[in-house]
Amino acid sequence: MTQNVGRRDTAAQNTAAAPEDALLTINAIEVMYGRLALVLRALSLSVPRQGVVALLGANGAGKTTTMKAVANLLRSERGEITRGSIHYDGSRIDTLDACDLAGRGLSLVMEGRHCFPTLSVEENLKVGAFSRRDGGRAIADSLELVYSYFPRLRERRNMATGFLSGGEQQMCAIGRALMARPRLILLDEPSMGLAPLLVEEIFVIIRELNRKEGMSFLLAEQNASVALRYATYGYLIESGRVVREGAPEVLMDDPEIRASYLGLDASAARMGDAALADRRRRWLS
Amino acid sequence: MSDFSFFLEVVVGGLLSGVMYTLVALGFVLIFKASGVFNFAQGAMVLFAALTFVGFTEYGLPYWAAFLVTLVVMMALAVGIERAVLRPLLGQDAMILFMATIGLSIFLEGLAQLIWGTGVRGLDLGIPDDPIEWGGILVSQFDLSTAVMAAVLVAVLSVFFSTTRIGRALRAVADDTQAAQVAGVPLGFIWAVVWGVAGFIALVAGLVWGARLGVQFALTLVALKALPVMILGGFNSIAGAIVAGLVIGVSEKLAEVYLGPFVGGGIENWFPYALAVAVLLWRPTGLFGAARIARV
């Protein structure tokens, strides 16, 4: 496998093993943009059934590219998977079209929400059910389910989503993904640009969806501390490859992750501002 | 005849000819909205539809049958364009797609004339072009009929877009193509629908303009009249195309009648373009275009 194997912790290896049990498996994919820029290098990860997996990393590490690779959106951006494969629920999906995945139970909530701004909230949600063939009654039930998780969407149902706040748009985007009745939801930066309380609210709902509806999640997040609190497993990627993986507790104790991604210990000191470092310690202790 | 009723007559005449511009512009706007492509081939599609219709009536088909057959041909054409032109160019620059539609327009013009010949054909829709008096104003019966046809067409389209599942998906694609794909909307299918609808509009426009000008190569130039309409109304607004079509129609007639005598006439032909340039300077997105709602 990759040269990173040696650095992975062994307990983690056991949890991630046996990919045939996994709902989603990414096998050593390599992604190129415009035949020049190598964005992902032999990246492998898997999402177990009923799992909430966090994909951590800094800006430009390749989180969004990974999500788009799974969702088959690369081709429309002149990127391609040049090596490796992606399997979902036992079958290979990287050869399909982007629109084929929703019907198979795999939904992506894109970075930056991407609601349809001129459509109302309810229209947005109904577009999410486009791939379903199980009739209007079942779709109406799903609409109710979404409104029960996000009561605020019901209040705003007839409003164009372009006028919603960032948090409401994030809810609408997640709700739209739910309308396809997914088994796996890919969430790209759900916390981006949201107030901390709202971030917490959304992660609580993710946990509920995971426990009550049995949905699995792959969460790409820069906000490592929130993501690790709700995840069952985590991967850290840097320059397009996995550099650490493991259970959340293991990752949270990793000194390098603490320093660079959780803003604890060394990073505050590295800023050279003693007062700031003190304040950080006080806040985070 | 009083000055005022003369003025009204000019305005009504302008409105009715404006409807004809709207018809052509609608086809452009639809495709631009859904796929971000300025479809240079819309004019060729108008010619192709009109020639096909006339061709089939010459084989002895009644009008309604010729209409249906032509409609089927236009739909098949739309699916073919999606497969052969749009799908291979998915994700390419808008300029590349634009050039592809230029090629498409040359191909369609050639194909239409190869199949149906190059001669000018008359098209009589059976609507008399006699003026009727209506509240003291003379109105062309033909123009009035086309206006009603266009109004019905627009009403049917807006119901289709606002209430049906496919119409909703179409607006979703227009708003955000990637997000629509992720939500499970097949882009190829939507594009085929959009081009099919544009083909339907081209057919109606082809019949109306063909009855007016004769079915001939010059029909492709009708598309040029749609340009100022779209610049005025905005490239991605259906409401804009309707209003701008009417504004262009009325303003060119008023300019011809009231300003024409001072500059020696002939204003009608260039006035819409002058208006378009003025709009570009003052409001580049058009009156209705790209008013994207965004709150950050």
Side-chain angles (χ1 to χ4, degrees):
Chain A
M1 265 183 64
T2 66
Q3 69 269 41
N4 302 319
V5 169
R7 296 175 63 189
R8 288 183 182 171
D9 98 28
T10 42
Q13 282 286 324
N14 294 337
T15 345
E20 52 278 7
D21 296 349
L23 188 54
L24 177 76
T25 317
I26 301 180
N27 292 320
I29 54 165
E30 186 179 278
V31 169
M32 299 261 254
Y33 270 110
R35 302 223 168 87
L36 281 172
L38 188 60
V39 187
L40 299 184
R41 307 146 199 258
L43 183 135
S44 296
L45 62 81
S46 71
V47 179
R49 290 173 199 277
Q50 327 274 311
V52 178
V53 173
L55 184 60
L56 310 175
N59 256 339
K63 300 190 297 297
T64 296
T65 303
T66 308
M67 299 301 227
K68 285 188 170 167
V70 177
N72 284 322
L73 284 178
L74 293 176
R75 238 167 302 156
S76 61
E77 296 177 350
R78 296 213 264 161
E80 59 176 328
I81 299 175
T82 45
R83 228 177 266 169
S85 63
I86 301 174
H87 293 260
Y88 166 76
D89 200 20
S91 52
R92 190 165 177 180
I93 56 166
D94 48 309
T95 47
L96 300 176
D97 276 333
C99 59
D100 296 332
L101 295 171
R104 292 172 180 237
L106 193 160
S107 288
L108 165 70
V109 178
M110 296 166 81
E111 180 180 13
R113 275 84 75 165
H114 286 264
C115 297
F116 306 120
T118 64
L119 272 62
S120 72
V121 169
E122 192 149 311
E123 284 178 326
N124 262 273
L125 297 178
K126 283 180 174 166
V127 171
F130 191 87
S131 59
R132 285 171 62 173
R133 294 282 175 275
D134 51 356
R137 172 65 62 81
I139 289 172
D141 288 345
S142 296
L143 202 58
E144 274 311 303
L145 183 79
V146 170
Y147 285 147
S148 72
Y149 275 100
F150 301 105
R152 233 181 301 178
L153 291 184
R154 192 198 298 275
E155 290 166 30
R156 303 248 191 269
R157 64 202 295 173
N158 294 320
M159 208 183 213
T161 52
F163 293 119
L164 299 183
S165 72
E168 289 162 346
Q169 286 188 2
Q170 185 66 65
M171 292 175 189
C172 182
I174 296 176
R176 188 175 66 201
L178 291 177
M179 288 299 289
R181 284 223 290 220
R183 279 175 296 151
L184 172 64
I185 298 185
L186 312 180
L187 264 176
D188 199 352
E189 300 282 357
S191 75
M192 195 175 76
L194 302 186
L197 271 180
L198 208 52
V199 172
E200 214 65 44
E201 194 181 322
I202 282 177
F203 272 87
V204 166
I205 290 172
I206 290 170
R207 177 183 277 167
E208 262 181 66
L209 287 168
N210 173 246
R211 293 192 178 154
K212 289 193 197 152
E213 318 290 336
M215 292 173 187
S216 311
F217 286 87
L218 178 60
L219 307 165
E221 259 297 348
Q222 283 196 55
N223 188 338
S225 60
V226 182
L228 285 177
R229 259 190 292 127
Y230 289 88
T232 56
Y233 198 80
Y235 292 86
L236 174 66
I237 60 175
E238 253 168 39
S239 326
R241 58 185 111 211
V242 174
V243 293
R244 291 279 198 288
E245 63 174 287
E249 313 81 60
V250 177
L251 292 179
M252 271 193 257
D253 283 341
D254 187 294
E256 203 180 309
I257 291 184
R258 284 175 72 82
S260 312
Y261 298 96
L262 296 172
L264 300 169
D265 311 335
S267 79
R270 207 184 293 150
M271 291 179 142
D273 184 342
L276 181 62
D278 282 349
R279 203 189 309 153
R280 275 174 176 266
R281 271 193 210 103
R282 246 181 291 122
W283 281 359
L284 297 166
S285 61
Chain B
M1 186 180 208
S2 73
D3 281 352
F4 184 67
S5 66
F6 176 69
F7 171 78
L8 273 186
E9 206 169 293
V10 173
V11 168
V12 170
L15 282 176
L16 297 178
S17 67
V19 167
M20 310 257 289
Y21 300 146
T22 295
L23 262 183
V24 183
L26 266 184
F28 281 100
V29 170
L30 264 185
I31 289 179
F32 190 81
K33 248 176 102 73
S35 49
V37 180
F38 180 82
N39 176 24
F40 194 79
Q42 188 70 27
M45 282 165 70
V46 171
L47 172 72
F48 189 89
L51 271 179
T52 308
F53 178 85
V54 173
F56 279 118
T57 55
E58 282 173 1
Y59 280 135
L61 284 185
Y63 277 2
W64 62 268
F67 186 85
L68 286 183
V69 172
T70 310
L71 196 58
V72 170
V73 170
M74 295 310 285
M75 297 289 162
L77 189 68
V79 173
I81 291 172
E82 196 276 318
R83 283 282 151 79
V85 182
L86 299 177
R87 195 171 294 187
L89 293 177
L90 177 72
Q92 296 288 342
D93 205 58
M95 187 49 76
I96 291 173
L97 283 161
F98 173 64
M99 290 193 289
T101 66
I102 294 180
L104 184 64
S105 97
I106 295 169
F107 172 76
L108 282 182
E109 286 161 10
L111 182 69
Q113 296 183 62
L114 188 72
I115 299 174
W116 304 111
T118 50
V120 179
R121 291 134 188 262
L123 171 60
D124 183 10
L125 293 178
I127 308 167
D129 203 1
D130 309 320
I132 50 171
E133 201 177 318
W134 192 46
I137 313 169
L138 288 177
V139 180
S140 153
Q141 212 172 322
F142 179 84
D143 286 350
L144 202 59
S145 316
T146 56
V148 170
M149 255 159 70
V152 170
L153 182 70
V154 168
V156 168
L157 284 180
S158 50
V159 169
F160 170 68
F161 286 126
S162 59
T163 62
T164 66
R165 174 171 161 272
I166 291 174
R168 192 163 53 221
L170 221 142
R171 283 182 293 137
V173 169
D175 265 8
D176 193 324
T177 311
Q178 274 200 341
Q181 278 178 287
V182 167
V185 178
L187 213 50
F189 169 69
I190 293 296
W191 281 350
V193 169
V194 170
W195 282 71
V197 172
F200 174 55
I201 294 173
L203 171 57
V204 175
L207 294 184
V208 170
W209 280 97
R212 183 40 69 80
L213 305 174
V215 176
Q216 52 172 324
F217 187 76
L219 271 187
T220 59
L221 302 178
V222 161
L224 288 182
K225 274 281 184 180
L227 260 180
V229 174
M230 279 183 295
I231 289 170
L232 190 64
F235 276 67
N236 49 13
S237 167
I238 289 177
I242 297 168
V243 174
L246 299 180
V247 169
I248 295 276
V250 171
S251 60
E252 70 174 20
K253 293 286 182 292
L254 286 178
E256 180 68 42
V257 171
Y258 291 103
L259 297 178
F262 298 106
V263 292
I267 282 192
E268 200 176 340
N269 292 323
W270 56 259
F271 186 78
Y273 300 98
L275 197 65
V277 170
V279 169
L280 275 180
L281 291 173
W282 164 62
R283 211 188 142 93
T285 56
L287 297 179
F288 296 81
R292 286 194 84 82
I293 39 176
R295 194 174 118 180
V296 184

